[in-house]
Amino acid sequence: MNKMHLGVNLSFAMNRYAEPEEWVRIVTEELKLKYVQFFTDLLDPLFSPPSFRYRMCEKIKKLCKENSLKIHSVFTGTSPHCFNLLLHPEKEMRKFTLKWYEEAIKMSAQMDSSGFGSFLGAFSKKDLKNKERKESLTEELIEHWHYLASLAKKEGLKFLLFEPMSCEREIPSTIKETKWFYQRLNENSSLPFELCLDTGHGRRISGEAEDNNPYAWLEEFKDNNLVIHLQQTDRIASRHWPFTEDLNQKGVIQAEKVINILKNNKKDIFLFLEVIYPPFEPFDELIIDDLKKSVKYWKKALNIKE
């Protein structure tokens, strides 16, 4: 039987807890967790000056070591999700995105992270409707990610992650597409590409009911998963709600059902709470308490003792 490790994605910190001392303290002392997934909005690979980024990575590495906290992986934040990334219509922007990823991978290695992950990108509406253009950009994207895998291996990373999304433009967004990308990305790759499934993602209107069923996704990929983003959701949208008593009544994600599907997985699973509250009041005052309740809910289901 595999092991299921509970951690938290640092999306909750956003611009609230920009100081590494703060989010390390919150994770270790208040949430009492041992694993985090770093969030690039806290230290953007190109927005931050290289000398500053180097100092911050060294500081983060030192703080994590002192507090027995492990950065499992680094993952793209909300800012990159606003862009087309390696599917941008203009080649110049795709070239810039490649540079962004190169720096993100180097940053991940410097933090002693084991891996780096991202969503793959978003087509423009125009490119989505053009079959030849779509196929050409897809092949270029796979080529770019294979190059990034070779770079990641040189930097000492052990794996790369990609995350299925929720609309047709943001690939992949269906189970069928995800299986295709999983196979293509792993063909002749320097490093393994693992899935990062999100309990709130998947296309609602793909024409296949399973694409909007979080348990169908987990069942289909239970032997491929390395990472799962945990959010409570009603599946009408990707809510990124916490697992509080009231929202568990509204949402469809039940810890026991998730665990029962994954418990016989061949690999260890890392479950990262991904609670995203907008930077408005009263959310700043709610998020830590809601995260504590979410951790308690999942620890009880996983039979993890404090």
Side-chain angles (χ1 to χ4, degrees):
M1 185 177 292
N2 65 1
K3 289 184 180 180
M4 295 190 207
H5 307 281
L6 183 64
V8 64
N9 179 288
L10 293 178
S11 53
F12 76 88
M14 202 175 285
N15 55 11
R16 297 180 182 94
Y17 304 108
E19 306 89 350
E21 298 90 342
E22 272 297 278
W23 58 256
V24 167
R25 180 192 61 79
I26 291 166
V27 173
T28 57
E29 295 181 14
E30 298 200 48
L31 303 182
K32 294 181 171 56
L33 294 172
K34 298 178 181 179
Y35 300 97
V36 293
Q37 186 176 64
F38 192 81
F39 194 66
T40 61
D41 286 1
L42 289 170
L43 187 64
D44 187 88
L46 284 178
F47 186 74
S48 55
S51 59
F52 171 78
R53 194 165 67 244
Y54 177 83
R55 291 197 306 272
M56 287 297 284
C57 284
E58 290 299 305
K59 184 176 186 177
I60 288 167
K61 182 165 61 176
K62 183 174 183 289
L63 282 167
C64 287
K65 185 176 181 180
E66 290 172 350
N67 290 273
S68 300
L69 184 65
K70 170 62 179 173
I71 296 180
H72 165 274
S73 49
V74 174
F75 213 86
T76 46
T78 53
S79 297
H81 193 209
C82 297
F83 300 101
N84 297 89
L85 300 180
L86 290 173
L87 294 176
H88 195 282
E90 296 293 336
K91 188 173 184 178
E92 187 175 356
M93 282 302 296
R94 298 198 298 276
K95 184 177 179 181
F96 178 82
T97 298
L98 198 62
K99 177 65 175 174
W100 191 95
Y101 278 130
E102 289 172 351
E103 295 303 311
I105 285 169
K106 292 174 185 176
M107 184 178 82
S108 303
Q110 192 184 343
M111 288 184 193
D112 277 352
S113 168
S114 298
F116 170 76
S118 175
F119 89 102
L120 294 179
F123 289 111
S124 68
K125 289 286 286 184
K126 182 178 179 181
D127 283 340
L128 183 67
K129 295 176 182 178
N130 184 323
K131 182 180 178 181
E132 290 184 4
R133 174 78 170 160
K134 182 182 176 184
E135 289 179 353
S136 174
L137 284 171
T138 299
E139 290 303 316
E140 182 186 277
L141 177 141
I142 290 170
E143 184 179 327
H144 280 152
W145 274 105
H146 281 166
Y147 157 72
L148 292 170
S150 65
L151 174 65
K153 184 176 182 179
K154 289 177 184 177
E155 292 292 328
L157 299 190
K158 297 178 181 177
F159 58 86
L160 293 176
L161 296 163
F162 74 98
E163 183 176 25
M165 302 304 285
S166 303
C167 72
E168 188 178 10
R169 289 185 303 102
E170 296 183 348
I171 57 173
S173 61
T174 67
I175 289 175
K176 183 178 179 180
E177 280 183 339
T178 301
K179 290 168 73 174
W180 186 87
F181 273 100
Y182 185 85
Q183 179 181 346
R184 286 296 311 276
L185 286 169
N186 277 296
E187 285 177 358
N188 303 314
S189 176
S190 301
L191 281 181
F193 281 84
E194 300 284 357
L195 279 175
C196 177
L197 289 188
D198 188 305
T199 56
H201 289 185
R203 281 185 67 202
R204 294 182 61 226
I205 56 174
S206 70
E208 299 290 339
E210 63 180 8
D211 290 329
N212 192 39
N213 181 346
Y215 303 109
W217 279 87
L218 292 170
E219 189 67 48
E220 181 67 42
F221 297 109
K222 62 185 178 183
D223 290 330
N224 304 110
N225 284 342
L226 181 66
V227 172
I228 296 174
H229 284 164
L230 298 174
Q231 58 158 306
Q232 185 57 280
T233 177
D234 55 9
R235 297 294 294 188
I236 295 172
S238 182
R239 303 293 190 185
H240 289 279
W241 286 336
F243 291 86
T244 56
E245 187 174 351
D246 58 333
L247 291 173
N248 286 341
Q249 295 297 317
K250 297 179 182 179
V252 300
I253 305 303
Q254 299 174 26
E256 290 79 7
K257 289 182 70 173
V258 172
I259 292 165
N260 282 337
I261 292 172
L262 299 174
K263 65 183 179 182
N264 293 319
N265 187 297
K266 299 172 184 176
K267 303 178 182 178
D268 283 5
I269 300 288
F270 286 83
L271 306 166
F272 289 105
L273 291 160
E274 192 180 41
V275 176
I276 302 177
Y277 275 170
F280 306 115
E281 296 176 343
F283 299 113
D284 274 9
E285 306 308 318
L286 296 175
I287 193 161
I288 300 304
D289 189 52
D290 284 353
L291 274 171
K292 286 181 180 179
K293 293 173 182 176
S294 301
V295 168
K296 183 177 180 180
Y297 171 78
W298 279 94
K299 280 189 173 182
K300 181 179 179 182
L302 290 163
N303 196 28
I304 297 175
K305 306 300 181 184
E306 292 290 355

